[in-house]
Amino acid sequence: MPPRTSTAQRRLLKEYQQLKRDSPEEGPKDTPYENGVFPARLTFPNDYPLSPPKLVFEPAILHPNIYANGEVCISILHPPGDDPHQYERAEERWSPVQNVEKILLSVMSMLSEPNVESGANIDACKLWRDNRKGFEAQVRSDVRKSLGL
């Protein structure tokens, strides 16, 4: 008898098939990330979709909301419920109705509009605030590298 497929595995397979049919574009237009291709790893917990996955860019990319190790820090990837720091509303955080597509759309939005008030990478926040041209030049250089140029 074949092993039973868990509800989480069935859900992930369905989400994966949907993404293959309608995958998001590369780095968002009119941003320094435009046309970039950034490999990332989504790691799903055993109790998915009750808990959020973790998203890590490999290699890390320069962004105020991406830790130096590549881990993405956005509300949708934070555990459900009230924020102990009272920065995020519960409805901004993970809930089981979220899915991989919504995560990717949130990341695209994050790339377009960093939240420097709640930065994960302080050096990137400082560069973005104090030297926007330098920040954008570094990101464009990283995009060229991501494309093998």
Side-chain angles (χ1 to χ4, degrees), residues 10 37 54-55 59 62 66 68 73 102 139 141:
R10 286 193 302 274
V37 177
K54 181 171 145 181
L55 178 63
L62 181 67
I66 300 174
C73 180
K102 288 180 183 174
V139 170
S141 172

Side-chain angles (χ1 to χ4, degrees), residues 102-122:
K102 288 180 183 174
I103 293 168
L104 296 178
L105 290 172
S106 294
V107 169
M108 298 294 279
S109 177
M110 173 201 75
L111 292 175
S112 298
E113 298 175 30
N115 179 356
V116 295
E117 300 307 315
S118 176
N121 183 328
I122 302 306

Side-chain angles (χ1 to χ4, degrees), residues 130-143:
D130 299 345
N131 182 1
R132 186 75 54 90
K133 287 185 188 294
F135 175 87
E136 291 177 356
Q138 178 62 52
V139 170
R140 286 190 179 98
S141 172
D142 293 346
V143 166

Side-chain angles (χ1 to χ4, degrees), residues 49-129:
L50 299 177
S51 294
K54 181 171 145 181
L55 178 63
V56 179
F57 283 101
E58 298 175 341
I61 60 175
L62 181 67
H63 190 279
N65 306 115
I66 300 174
Y67 290 102
N69 70 355
E71 186 176 348
V72 175
C73 180
I74 54 176
S75 300
I76 193 173
L77 294 177
H78 294 159
D82 292 326
D83 178 6
H85 305 291
Q86 300 180 342
Y87 178 75
E88 302 164 329
R89 296 187 319 270
E91 59 269 17
E92 295 174 314
R93 295 165 68 89
W94 180 260
S95 79
V97 299
Q98 307 290 10
N99 59 32
V100 174
E101 180 183 24
K102 288 180 183 174
I103 293 168
L104 296 178
L105 290 172
S106 294
V107 169
M108 298 294 279
S109 177
M110 173 201 75
L111 292 175
S112 298
E113 298 175 30
N115 179 356
V116 295
E117 300 307 315
S118 176
N121 183 328
I122 302 306
D123 292 335
C125 287
K126 187 171 176 10
L127 186 59
W128 192 86
R129 272 189 244 157

